[in-house]
Amino acid sequence: MLKTLKSFDLKDKRVLIRVDFNVPVENELVTDDFRIRSALPTIKHCLNEGAKIILISHMGRPNGKFDSNLSLMPAGEKLADLLEMPIKFSDNCISEDAHDVTLGLRSGEVHLLENLRFHIEETNNDQNFSINLAKHGQVFINDAFGTAHRSHASNLGVSKYFNQKGMGFLIDKELEFLDEAMKAPKKPLTLVLGGAKIDTKIDLINRFIQIADHILIGGGMAFTFLKAKGKNIGASLVDETMLSQAKIIMANARGKTNLIFPSDLICAKSMNDKDSSIFNSNEIPEDLMGLDIGPSTIKNFSDVIAASGTILWNGPMGVFEVDGFHNGTEKLAESIGMATKNESITIVGGGDSAAAIKKFEMMHNFSHVSTGGGAALSLLSGNTMPAIYALEI
Ligand code: AMP
């Protein structure tokens, strides 16, 4: 059984919470606090219940070495601002001093420990490291969805040392939208896919061929399919190693799901070329590349979205980071946002799509925006998440 936060008596207990504070930082300031805000419901619940809270997280990839640019101190300052209270911080997550601070906590206090990945033992899922982390708490709550597909000491290893363990509100919500909602979706179910890398989305496509009514494919990954169909894609991005896989997917989809590709594209010589024009997807000139979906594609995709009961979106429709090639992604985000208003379930699967809607200031236009990129893809592809499985009692 997987226990949820509300089933624990937390009063005066030391609660060790694995959060995902892997946030961008510039000049020692957090530039995007989405993941910290997403952990607040769990932290606030524990505070209201009178718990003593110990937070653990990673940031970036320091490969087992201290790196002042990857300190969790700025995340701690942001958290203190959001909670409107001071918090304690220890600069080594398993030192004697850190354990002493934890043992001295009073109910209603928060102790954040420094970046777990300053110790190589974290990603090695080292047993002694897990034991040392476990010493901080009497109850273990995992609320770090972004790393739930990883088998590390702070999510997998540590859970062995707790009888009282469960998931926080964020993981609970992510499972509700990315797992439960996909088992019995409000129909029609539409998957909208984009982005550059096709190989990271193959498992997802193969699963959704079985369950989705429509799969809309835009972004750079569409060109591998268009080339496999024999179209002239000019100098557009293509993954030659995936051409045969793309053919297999299209053959498997026949009669099961409606696989739809761009009919027109915004093309230019490069991402820096301001001189772009619209071409039919079969007529891209040799020296041009498709960098965004065109107006007919936006219309086709938006019509399918408007008629869908559930829409899952992962990956931008073009090079949204560059003005001039952002329009397709923005317009589809608007269409999906409109579907939310019309009571469709709309889910943004994290990663670059989440970055895009942040850029367009549309974070609140969807039923759910996932905090995990790789974790969301893994769960949606039907994989079991080791760190969540480990919470079963
Ligand atoms: P991914 O990590 O696979 O989701 O890829 C995201 C990246 O795909 C973004 O940085 C986009 O700029 C890029 N992208 C989207 N469409 C295209 C395209 N048509 N050509 C090249 N890159 C693209």
Side-chain angles (χ1 to χ4, degrees):
M1 188 184 56
L2 202 49
K3 282 188 139 188
T4 52
L5 193 53
K6 284 201 176 138
S7 58
F8 295 96
D9 174 13
L10 301 173
K11 178 119 187 73
D12 301 326
K13 299 258 173 59
R14 282 180 283 115
V15 183
L16 178 67
I17 312 178
R18 177 46 161 115
V19 287
D20 180 4
F21 284 179
N22 184 26
V23 291
V25 171
E26 270 168 38
N27 300 323
E28 296 179 15
L29 290 175
V30 172
T31 54
D32 179 357
D33 62 6
F34 175 51
R35 285 182 164 160
I36 300 178
R37 281 181 189 275
S38 300
L40 288 181
T42 288
I43 296 170
K44 284 186 176 168
H45 174 82
C46 294
L47 283 173
N48 292 339
E49 294 293 303
K52 304 166 183 181
I53 299 171
I54 305 95
L55 301 174
I56 49 175
S57 176
H58 77 285
M59 183 185 282
R61 295 182 177 181
N63 293 324
K65 293 197 186 74
F66 176 78
D67 177 347
S68 58
N69 293 320
L70 295 175
S71 169
L72 280 172
M73 185 84 92
E77 281 163 6
K78 178 48 90 179
L79 176 67
D81 281 354
L82 293 169
L83 291 174
E84 297 180 350
M85 61 179 267
I87 66 163
K88 296 180 191 298
F89 183 79
S90 287
D91 60 9
N92 180 330
C93 59
I94 53 162
S95 66
E96 231 172 85
D97 282 355
H99 286 126
D100 286 346
V101 173
T102 288
L103 289 177
L105 283 177
R106 283 181 301 212
S107 300
E109 287 188 328
V110 177
H111 181 202
L112 172 65
L113 308 182
E114 183 56 288
N115 193 345
L116 294 158
R117 290 194 191 164
F118 287 168
H119 305 257
I120 199 67
E121 293 86 349
E122 159 64 354
T123 46
N124 289 346
N125 193 17
D126 178 87
Q127 188 174 358
N128 280 333
F129 187 70
S130 300
I131 291 171
N132 276 318
L133 287 178
K135 278 186 197 159
H136 282 283
Q138 296 159 299
V139 178
F140 175 60
I141 297 296
N142 188 357
D143 212 19
F145 179 70
T147 48
H149 59 317
R150 306 274 182 223
S151 301
H152 293 166
S154 66
N155 58 3
L156 186 68
V158 77
S159 35
K160 250 201 300 211
Y161 302 100
F162 287 90
N163 293 324
Q164 295 206 70
K165 55 190 172 186
M167 59 180 170
F169 293 139
L170 176 62
I171 287 198
D172 200 2
K173 188 169 170 235
E174 296 271 13
L175 290 181
E176 180 192 334
F177 282 98
L178 302 177
D179 194 30
E180 290 307 315
M182 293 304 140
K183 286 181 184 147
K186 191 172 163 192
K187 293 287 229 167
L189 168 63
T190 297
L191 172 66
V192 184
L193 275 186
K197 295 184 286 295
I198 176 167
D199 56 331
T200 56
K201 287 155 196 154
I202 291 290
D203 289 347
L204 182 67
I205 300 174
N206 282 331
R207 178 175 179 222
F208 274 72
I209 281 176
Q210 312 298 331
I211 59 174
D213 300 283
H214 309 283
I215 302 182
L216 314 179
I217 300 190
M221 62 184 285
F223 297 104
T224 301
F225 288 93
L226 293 172
K227 180 156 188 193
K229 275 159 134 348
K231 307 248 181 200
N232 297 320
I233 60 160
S236 306
L237 185 79
V238 65
D239 185 344
E240 299 281 349
T241 65
M242 285 288 160
L243 285 172
S244 55
Q245 185 76 46
K247 283 185 189 153
I248 294 170
I249 287 172
M250 290 187 285
N252 287 346
R254 226 163 275 142
K256 291 198 188 112
T257 189
N258 192 12
L259 209 49
I260 310 177
F261 299 102
S263 52
D264 61 345
L265 294 139
I266 310 286
C267 303
K269 286 211 164 78
S270 76
M271 290 178 199
N272 305 320
D273 184 4
K274 297 273 171 268
D275 189 16
S276 63
S277 4
I278 304 167
F279 286 92
N280 182 295
S281 59
N282 191 29
E283 292 162 1
I284 303 176
E286 285 301 301
D287 59 336
L288 298 190
M289 51 176 77
L291 293 165
D292 195 10
I293 53 173
S296 311
T297 308
I298 293 172
K299 166 92 175 60
N300 291 346
F301 282 13
S302 296
D303 286 349
V304 174
I305 287 165
S308 298
T310 306
I311 300 122
L312 171 68
W313 176 29
N314 193 294
M317 293 293 108
V319 185
F320 74 96
E321 302 92 332
V322 179
D323 284 343
F325 305 117
H326 69 287
N327 189 50
T329 306
E330 185 168 5
K331 287 284 176 295
L332 271 219
E334 278 171 13
S335 303
I336 300 172
M338 192 66 79
T340 321
K341 284 197 182 133
N342 293 332
E343 302 198 352
S344 298
I345 307 292
T346 59
I347 301 160
V348 181
D352 269 309
S353 336
I357 57 169
K358 183 167 184 280
K359 177 177 163 157
F360 307 139
E361 297 182 0
M362 293 186 199
M363 285 294 273
H364 303 292
N365 298 6
F366 308 91
S367 312
H368 180 62
V369 180
S370 177
T371 54
L377 274 179
S378 180
L379 184 58
L380 287 164
S381 303
N383 299 326
T384 44
M385 312 286 265
I388 297 179
Y389 190 63
L391 298 172
E392 297 265 357
I393 45 170

